[in-house]
Amino acid sequence: MFKKIFPLLRDIAIVIGGNIIYACGVAFFILPGGLITGGTTGIALFIQHLFGVPISTFVLCFNAVMFFLGLLVLGRKFAATTILSTFVYPIALEMIQRLSNGFVITTDPVLCTVFGGLCIGAAIGIVIRTGASTGGMDIPPLVLNKLFRLPVSVTMYLFDFVILILQAFSCTGEEVLYGILLILIYTIVLDKCLMIGTEKVEIKVISHEHERIRQEILQEIDRGVTILNGQTGYMRENTELVLSVVSSREVGRVRKLVHNIDSSAFLIISRVTEVRGRGFTQEKEYK
């Protein structure tokens, strides 16, 4: 029972923590730096400038509307993964603003852009890695994708661009450039966060000692091995390739192991973005 409940509680804690980090990035860097940004926060900044509506209040209302839109179009399963972010972020933002009582770390636009981007990118990455959504402006691209098959990435960037344009009418050209830089930073950080812990290294070995190399990788490195049939290009001799996927820390051990067996072995080492299966996302199985 505990094994089933613990992953759920862990994911809930991670989603809450991610939204708190997001709120900290906005409260301590975006707002003090006077920056513009995309997403729900960008719309909130635009509305605040026009009508004076508090950012946290607008975000809460907007997220609630988007949540119900997602529930109607995308279904209950999607809504279940989004409900936490829908309400935790605006509440956390309001609480942080109240508790900080005007405390400012820095107003330097460069520092605010960099650290604001780091916080937002890391926060979104943390939430998405749990399979959840940050809600708000994440939902319209998903709705358009389901209804009209429009690419999510294209519509997401288009929405961010439009939101920046709306804010640009009340900003200087320099502030618009900082806004573009902010979006670039948190997009890059988001991509890196999504890849943390999933990148592995693929090793292919071409050698006459392929059988010994296969056994050593299995026994010494404790990694799975696949044998591929091949043919040399020059002599057209039949040969076998040893294929294995290992962690970055194990690359040196495998390289040394192979060269100790066959110093003339041909190695191909390449990085792969994600590996799923036994030994990685599932427990190893020995027979």
Side-chain angles (χ1 to χ4, degrees):
M1 184 67 178
F2 177 73
K3 288 184 177 180
K4 293 182 179 180
I5 295 176
F6 177 74
L8 176 62
L9 295 177
R10 179 195 60 200
D11 288 348
I12 290 173
I14 291 173
V15 171
I16 292 173
N19 279 278
I20 290 174
I21 294 173
Y22 197 129
C24 286
V26 173
F28 293 131
F29 299 109
I30 305 300
L31 298 181
L35 301 176
I36 62 175
T37 184
T40 308
T41 305
I43 300 175
L45 289 168
F46 177 69
I47 296 299
Q48 184 190 50
H49 177 77
L50 290 182
F51 308 106
V53 178
I55 293 175
S56 56
T57 302
F58 176 83
V59 170
L60 180 61
C61 296
F62 186 84
N63 280 2
V65 172
M66 291 297 103
F67 169 77
F68 287 112
L69 176 64
L71 176 63
L72 291 172
V73 179
L74 302 174
R76 294 181 180 178
K77 186 176 181 180
F78 173 83
T81 63
T82 308
I83 189 168
L84 266 178
S85 296
T86 297
F87 299 104
V88 170
Y89 167 58
I91 292 172
L93 178 60
E94 182 65 23
M95 289 181 64
I96 290 169
Q97 286 181 301
R98 289 179 181 271
L99 293 174
S100 63
N101 196 27
F103 172 73
V104 175
I105 298 176
T106 179
T107 57
D108 183 275
V110 176
L111 291 175
C112 288
T113 300
V114 172
F115 284 96
L118 290 174
C119 287
I120 293 173
I124 297 174
I126 288 170
V127 172
I128 291 177
R129 279 176 69 95
T130 65
S133 165
T134 54
M137 281 305 297
D138 283 359
I139 296 175
L142 296 173
V143 171
L144 291 174
N145 175 259
K146 183 171 183 179
L147 296 178
F148 306 107
R149 302 301 179 192
L150 296 176
V152 173
S153 58
V154 173
T155 52
M156 192 170 286
Y157 279 117
L158 181 61
F159 279 127
D160 276 339
F161 179 74
V162 171
I163 292 168
L164 282 180
I165 292 297
L166 289 175
Q167 298 170 84
F169 291 109
S170 59
C171 299
T172 64
E174 191 176 71
E175 288 172 335
V176 173
L177 293 177
Y178 278 126
I180 294 171
L181 181 60
L182 175 66
I183 291 175
L184 289 175
I185 290 173
Y186 73 62
T187 300
I188 293 170
V189 174
L190 168 60
D191 289 340
K192 294 297 182 183
C193 283
L194 294 178
M195 289 294 106
I196 289 176
T198 61
E199 287 190 351
K200 300 297 177 184
V201 177
E202 177 188 75
I203 296 179
K204 293 189 185 80
V205 184
I206 303 173
S207 169
H208 293 297
E209 299 289 341
H210 53 78
E211 181 58 28
R212 284 183 60 194
I213 292 171
R214 180 190 72 84
Q215 293 178 359
E216 289 296 310
I217 292 176
L218 287 170
Q219 295 172 7
E220 298 297 325
I221 310 299
D222 194 24
R223 285 296 183 189
V225 173
T226 299
I227 302 299
L228 306 176
N229 294 319
Q231 188 179 78
T232 62
Y234 183 66
M235 299 296 294
R236 299 189 68 82
E237 296 177 346
N238 292 330
T239 186
E240 291 185 337
L241 284 74
V242 180
L243 168 66
S244 185
V245 178
V246 301
S247 68
S248 299
R249 295 181 180 181
E250 294 168 329
V251 173
R253 291 177 60 197
V254 175
R255 188 190 294 118
K256 184 177 180 182
L257 178 153
V258 170
H259 283 155
N260 284 341
I261 296 174
D262 182 4
S263 59
S264 62
F266 190 78
L267 271 75
I268 303 171
I269 301 174
S270 55
R271 190 170 297 277
V272 293
T273 56
E274 185 171 2
V275 179
R276 305 189 70 82
R278 291 205 176 275
F280 294 95
T281 56
Q282 300 175 12
E283 292 184 4
K284 294 179 180 180
E285 187 177 80
Y286 299 95
K287 295 182 180 180

